[in-house]
Amino acid sequence: MTKDIRRPTRRGLLTAGAVGAAALSAPSFFIKGAWAQEKAIGNFPRATEGSSIKFGFVLPQTGAYADEGADELRAYQLAVKHLNEGFDFDSIISDSGLSGSGVLGKKVEYVVGDDQTNPDAARQVSQRMIERDGVIMFSGGSSSATAVANQYLAQEKGVIFMNGLTHSNDTTGKDRRRYGFRHFFNAYMSGIALGPIIAESYGKDRRAYHLTADYTWGHTQYESMKASTEDQGWTTVNNIMTPLGAPDFSQYLTQVLNSDADVVILNHYGKDMVNSLTQAVQFGMRDLQKNGKDFQIVVPLYSELMAEGAGDNIEGVYGTTNWNEKLPDAGTKAFVDAFVADYDRPPSQAAQTAYVQTLLYASAAERAGTFYPPEVIKALEDFEFTGIGSEGPMLYRGADHQCFHDVLVVQGKPPSERADQHDLLEIVKVVPRADIEYDPALPAFGGEQADLGPYEPA
């Protein structure tokens, strides 16, 4: 059932005095039964005046994170299909307001671009989508470097960016922007969730060596895991920064072997994680003993696609994920069934966050009754909802645009326990939202000086 567009909303109403003389000199737009002044921002209203709107999906189709990008694209295409044709939206986002007849009665179209897992390329592609294609919203990315670049572009251009897979603390920390929103969890949450689990499993007297992707995500992942494991009594032996997309990690793994560390923590993602984990196992680290203990490998940020790429090397390896297709909630089941029906494989966490971000934007526009960016932003800020992947309510915090929900600790399954080729990760613990929430003014997130910026860009 479509919503009654004449019904006034909390944000749509203005007093007669507020309209006053300003209405004589400024253009106005009719919103949900109330006249409100809305100036041109970004591609609004130009891109919303026809029978359709356009989303932009900028994601890695090449580079170290291309597998994640391919799954994100599947999810974006599925989200557009559902927005235009209908779905059980309220199982994904409670009281979503979505009708299945587009967004605010307009059919959804989309354009796609390759960010090459490179922030400069991401910004160039996204700018073209905004200026040439007239997108009203853009989304995507599997690298925090590209996410941060796109958030700053979004703020400059006045077009909302719904982050895809980005895990750096900086995305909603020191680099937070009013026009950027993140559903995916972050490195700090991974550390809080994972530290106690691996300390309980491996003991508190451990010596850890880190190999870390040398960009914003790797830096904050290392800092978060270092703090969390040291809180559990572990010692940090050393950390080596490794280049994104390195085909060979043997020189770094040799330094781990030559140290007195008895744990290696691989702060790598995508193909980098597949390569470094595989080479660590080939170096015999799984069968090694150091300091009278079995040597251990930890991968703080996991994905199903990485697990597939690493194969049997994931057995027993701990990590964290944003979501898993085996969760029992109705939204997960509905999404997984629809994804499998279209693509004959279960979705990854990258796909899940891409799908949900698209619907969250569409739902916010419906609730705001307009595509005017400041009103859509306000509809997302401090929005609390139930739905896919979380046992309790989720929150899109207004202070930093970070979404809070349950986080999963997982472990690689041995081959004998797998139901099929996709059944690779065991959910060890569902860590509730309350356990991983934090003060947005923490130094790790930019402190008190971190500012989202204005609703109306200059």
Side-chain angles (χ1 to χ4, degrees), residues 84-106:
N84 288 331
E85 300 178 9
F87 191 64
D88 179 15
F89 295 113
D90 288 351
S91 70
I92 309 298
I93 304 166
S94 57
D95 299 320
S96 68
L98 298 171
S99 65
S101 57
V103 182
L104 293 176
K106 297 183 184 294

Side-chain angles (χ1 to χ4, degrees), residues 10-93:
R10 174 170 56 88
R11 294 189 175 95
L13 292 173
L14 295 174
T15 63
V19 174
L24 300 176
S25 58
S28 298
F29 300 89
F30 192 61
I31 303 177
K32 287 264 193 169
W35 286 95
Q37 294 170 40
E38 294 178 341
K39 70 178 186 180
I41 294 179
N43 285 325
F44 179 89
R46 174 175 58 88
T48 67
E49 291 171 345
S51 60
S52 65
I53 55 166
K54 193 173 292 181
F55 293 165
F57 302 133
V58 53
L59 36 80
Q61 296 175 301
T62 56
Y65 298 165
D67 290 345
E68 310 290 325
D71 219 36
E72 286 180 338
L73 180 55
R74 296 180 191 110
Y76 284 129
Q77 291 169 330
L78 186 65
V80 170
K81 173 184 174 181
H82 288 168
L83 287 172
N84 288 331
E85 300 178 9
F87 191 64
D88 179 15
F89 295 113
D90 288 351
S91 70
I92 309 298
I93 304 166

Side-chain angles (χ1 to χ4, degrees), residues 378-397:
K378 291 171 186 176
L380 282 166
E381 289 178 336
D382 292 319
F383 175 51
E384 191 165 60
F385 60 100
T386 57
I388 185 171
S390 197
E391 294 181 357
M394 294 169 272
L395 173 69
Y396 236 137
R397 187 164 64 185

Side-chain angles (χ1 to χ4, degrees), residues 255-276:
Q255 294 182 59
V256 177
L257 288 172
N258 290 334
S259 74
D260 64 349
D262 47 49
V263 178
V264 62
I265 298 178
L266 301 176
N267 298 305
H268 293 149
Y269 197 73
K271 288 185 173 68
D272 284 2
M273 174 272 188
V274 171
N275 290 336
S276 63

Side-chain angles (χ1 to χ4, degrees), residues 334-351:
F335 170 56
V336 171
D337 287 349
F339 196 95
V340 171
D342 275 24
Y343 303 115
D344 198 29
R345 59 166 295 128
S348 67
Q349 64 175 355

Side-chain angles (χ1 to χ4, degrees), residues 396-407:
Y396 236 137
R397 187 164 64 185
D400 55 2
H401 293 187
Q402 174 64 54
C403 189
F404 289 91
H405 51 71
D406 298 345
V407 168

Side-chain angles (χ1 to χ4, degrees), residues 28-333:
S28 298
F29 300 89
F30 192 61
I31 303 177
K32 287 264 193 169
W35 286 95
Q37 294 170 40
E38 294 178 341
K39 70 178 186 180
I41 294 179
N43 285 325
F44 179 89
R46 174 175 58 88
T48 67
E49 291 171 345
S51 60
S52 65
I53 55 166
K54 193 173 292 181
F55 293 165
F57 302 133
V58 53
L59 36 80
Q61 296 175 301
T62 56
Y65 298 165
D67 290 345
E68 310 290 325
D71 219 36
E72 286 180 338
L73 180 55
R74 296 180 191 110
Y76 284 129
Q77 291 169 330
L78 186 65
V80 170
K81 173 184 174 181
H82 288 168
L83 287 172
N84 288 331
E85 300 178 9
F87 191 64
D88 179 15
F89 295 113
D90 288 351
S91 70
I92 309 298
I93 304 166
S94 57
D95 299 320
S96 68
L98 298 171
S99 65
S101 57
V103 182
L104 293 176
K106 297 183 184 294
K107 180 182 177 181
V108 180
E109 300 175 348
Y110 66 92
V111 292
V112 178
D114 180 12
D115 71 20
Q116 303 172 42
T117 320
N118 179 287
D120 292 333
R123 184 181 174 94
Q124 184 177 29
V125 170
S126 298
Q127 186 162 336
R128 185 168 64 245
M129 288 180 171
I130 292 169
E131 295 177 355
R132 183 192 69 185
D133 300 313
V135 299
I136 195 67
M137 177 276 282
F138 66 124
S139 182
S142 293
S143 159
S144 292
T146 64
V148 169
N150 273 327
Q151 281 198 152
Y152 278 93
L153 178 67
Q155 189 72 32
E156 292 168 20
K157 296 294 185 180
V159 178
I160 293 171
F161 179 63
M162 303 297 286
N163 281 282
L165 195 160
T166 168
H167 193 242
S168 171
N169 293 337
D170 293 346
T171 307
T172 45
K174 69 180 183 62
D175 293 311
R176 68 185 72 153
R177 305 310 295 154
R178 183 74 62 187
Y179 276 69
F181 289 85
R182 172 165 59 182
H183 169 262
F184 205 74
F185 72 139
N186 62 36
Y188 179 87
M189 298 177 190
S190 283
I192 294 296
L194 187 57
I197 298 290
I198 56 177
E200 180 180 355
S201 182
Y202 300 147
K204 292 183 176 292
D205 182 22
R206 282 285 186 167
R207 299 181 62 79
Y209 204 120
H210 293 251
L211 301 185
T212 299
D214 191 10
Y215 74 104
T216 177
W217 167 68
H219 299 169
T220 65
Q221 181 66 85
Y222 163 66
E223 292 161 1
S224 297
M225 285 302 298
K226 179 178 184 290
S228 178
T229 54
E230 289 180 354
D231 282 347
Q232 298 296 322
W234 288 23
T235 299
T236 302
V237 174
N238 201 359
N239 175 51
I240 298 176
M241 294 295 181
T242 63
L244 183 63
D248 185 4
F249 292 88
S250 58
Q251 61 177 309
Y252 313 115
L253 293 166
T254 298
Q255 294 182 59
V256 177
L257 288 172
N258 290 334
S259 74
D260 64 349
D262 47 49
V263 178
V264 62
I265 298 178
L266 301 176
N267 298 305
H268 293 149
Y269 197 73
K271 288 185 173 68
D272 284 2
M273 174 272 188
V274 171
N275 290 336
S276 63
L277 175 58
T278 299
Q279 290 169 19
V281 173
Q282 290 171 347
F283 271 47
M285 289 185 173
R286 190 190 297 282
D287 304 316
L288 193 65
Q289 279 216 334
K290 285 278 196 79
N291 308 321
K293 306 177 181 71
D294 291 337
F295 195 92
Q296 302 295 341
I297 305 170
V298 177
V299 176
L301 179 59
Y302 243 134
S303 84
E304 301 84 345
L305 299 173
M306 289 156 50
E308 287 181 15
D312 291 349
N313 298 316
I314 66 166
E315 181 177 348
V317 176
Y318 280 105
T320 62
T321 65
N322 189 68
W323 172 85
N324 185 276
E325 75 275 7
K326 293 188 289 291
L327 287 170
D329 62 275
T332 290
K333 185 178 187 311

